[in-house]
Amino acid sequence: MMDEENSHGEKIYIFDTTLRDGEQSPGATMNMQEKFRLAQQLVRLRVDVIEAGFPIASVGDFDCVKNIADNIRDVQITALARANRKDIDTAWAALKNGDNPRIHTFLATSDIHLEYKLKMDRDQVLELAVASVKQAAKYTSNVEFSAEDASRSDLDFVCRVFEAVIKAGATTVNFPDTTGYAVPDEFGRQIRYLMEHIPNIDKAVLSVHCHNDLGLAVANSLAALQAGARQVESTVNGIGERAGNTAMEELVMVLRTRSDQLPFYTDVVTEHIYPSSKMVSTITGMTVQPNKAIVGANAFAHESGIHQDGILKERTTYEIMNPCDIGLSSGSLILGKHSGRHAIKDRIQAMGYDGLSDEELNSVFVRFKELADVKKDMVDEDLEAIIMDEVLRVPEVYQLLSLGAMSGNKTMPTAAVRLLVHGKEVKDASIGVGAIDGTFKTIAQLTGTKSRLLYFAVSSITGGTDAQGEVMVRLECDGKIVIGQGADPDIVTAAAKAYLNGLNRVAYLQAEKEK
Ligand code: KIV
Ligand code: ZN
């Protein structure tokens, strides 16, 4: 069904579940504003379907899905629902104003899940799956059914279930490798079996959803495509439950780079891959490992002299992809302190961050100028850090006005901090084990907050002693775990900004909850 073909082969539908399965990564919760921002980025990326959340899970999740369905166009929005009336009604209530909204309902089919989790027999599961799809189909003609733990299920039973749910109105049937157990050859054979044994499979799109527990999610997804699947469920940076899901950027770039072997294409605008990856890691605080394929910091770095020499002579000697194709700029010198607003706006757009409002562009411009005054060479990474820092900032109930810190090996580390707290100026100073400890203590006193610092990391955005430092913290505050980020040429200031960013996120979550 819906096969589209062009000279590159058949179209593969990209179903993005960064906002749902991705958010199930430990510690990766995103607030409403961040989810909306990311959904806008996914539209720019031109994925086909955005799974915006699991509305029955919480009021917050419901509101996030509704906000996205109500306001985002030109992409199918879906939401997850277990196979029961309440979940499906709730999913629909959140989705109903969407553009071609899809209800995604799921039920396990493996004997392990039937016996221990559902305590149902196969006939009951079949009946419930059909009833749920019929109920969803009353609301929309765009219904997806997932057979949870399908890869460990009896295949003939999955065939029976898929045949029945397609008759009941499912237009996509999804075969998840929920536990990341499958290996590519086997997974491909399973998909081929479904293609050959479900009489009405031509009436639906066969989809796969792979987890990465054995590091095989992308390989399994590719094997499934070769066997007949036409939708892949994936996430940006491969984030997701446990070891994550199929990494969208890897799958898409394999299809693009090896179209000689794999006659498929996606509609993904690959030049938006890098900015999307950066946005996801900034929002979730889940940094990308340097050697990660496609978007890792080293993915296009050439260390050995022989390789560097080869690249200088002819890029393709050691590069199978052009970094520009994923939206990576050369990292070369860009603008300086005399650059105008227009030039900076053009550069931001050329880097793939083209959804910024005038107000956001203005604050990025001001920060850029401030940094250019103290930093000699401004490169794309500097601008990128400012964009992430400014644009993904939550409303600030705590704002840094000034910071003076003293440290050294023969002195008592002290920090004096001035803040705006709910619009009122407050100031204090503390002694700490080091300047950062003193700063955090003072901020805690001034804001009246109690939080536990779970994680602290500092990195340098570019080389050089005048480089911006980027600090990431993870805080536990009022039972919530949040991340906080800050960038500044002064590391203690970057740390203060990150800490305040975390506290502002807690306040924002609290305000969202009260609303
Ligand atoms: O991993 C899984 O099985 C899922 C389903 C809900 C699609 O996430
Ligand atoms: Zn999953």
Side-chain angles (χ1 to χ4, degrees), residues 275-350:
S276 308
S277 161
K278 195 77 196 164
M279 190 180 275
V280 168
S281 60
T282 306
I283 288 177
T284 61
M286 297 184 66
T287 40
V288 171
Q289 78 200 55
N291 60 327
K292 157 104 175 53
I294 316 296
V295 289
N298 294 348
F300 292 94
H302 300 278
E303 188 67 18
S304 92
I306 295 174
H307 286 213
Q308 286 172 355
D309 180 56
I311 288 279
L312 287 175
K313 287 177 175 144
E314 166 55 41
R315 189 186 59 77
T316 54
T317 49
Y318 287 102
E319 262 180 18
I320 58 165
M321 291 168 277
N322 191 331
C324 298
D325 291 345
I326 65 150
L328 249 185
S329 56
S330 58
S332 57
L333 193 68
I334 48 157
L335 308 144
K337 65 176 177 183
H338 301 297
S339 307
R341 205 173 290 264
H342 210 84
I344 290 178
K345 184 175 170 192
D346 282 354
R347 190 66 216 152
I348 290 172
Q349 281 174 349

Side-chain angles (χ1 to χ4, degrees), residues 16 50 65 190 194 199 241 346 390 468:
D16 185 278
I50 296 175
V65 174
Q190 290 179 321
L194 300 184
E241 186 83 42
D346 282 354
E390 277 299 317
Q468 287 195 86

Side-chain angles (χ1 to χ4, degrees), residues 114 120-129 157 160:
L114 265 61
M120 290 166 82
D121 65 26
R122 288 186 181 179
D123 288 340
Q124 289 170 315
V125 164
L126 182 76
E127 205 180 303
L128 184 57
F157 179 54
R160 268 178 70 206

Side-chain angles (χ1 to χ4, degrees), residues 31 33 392-399 500-501 503-505 507-508:
N31 65 40
Q33 184 197 1
L392 298 174
R393 211 154 261 282
V394 287
E396 293 183 308
V397 291
Y398 310 120
Q399 244 175 301
L500 286 166
N501 181 235
L503 296 180
N504 279 318
R505 278 167 194 265
Y508 183 71

Side-chain angles (χ1 to χ4, degrees), residues 20-21 80 104 106 146 148-149 174 176-178 209 211 233:
R20 199 276 298 169
D21 215 323
L80 191 65
H104 177 195
F106 74 101
S146 284
E148 193 188 10
D149 204 20
N174 182 36
D177 181 27
T178 303
H209 173 113
H211 278 271
E233 303 197 351

Side-chain angles (χ1 to χ4, degrees), residues 73-141:
R73 291 289 168 266
D74 301 325
V75 66
Q76 296 176 56
I77 307 290
T78 190
L80 191 65
R82 285 166 299 187
N84 68 58
R85 185 171 288 274
K86 194 166 171 220
D87 274 36
I88 292 170
D89 287 347
T90 308
W92 181 248
L95 284 170
K96 64 181 178 208
N97 298 327
D99 208 0
N100 192 6
R102 173 183 298 190
I103 296 177
H104 177 195
T105 186
F106 74 101
L107 186 60
T109 48
S110 68
D111 289 338
I112 306 179
H113 280 236
L114 265 61
E115 186 179 345
Y116 297 105
K117 189 180 89 176
L118 299 176
K119 306 205 185 313
M120 290 166 82
D121 65 26
R122 288 186 181 179
D123 288 340
Q124 289 170 315
V125 164
L126 182 76
E127 205 180 303
L128 184 57
V130 168
S132 303
V133 167
K134 278 190 178 157
Q135 198 210 336
K138 282 190 200 148
Y139 291 130
T140 170
S141 57

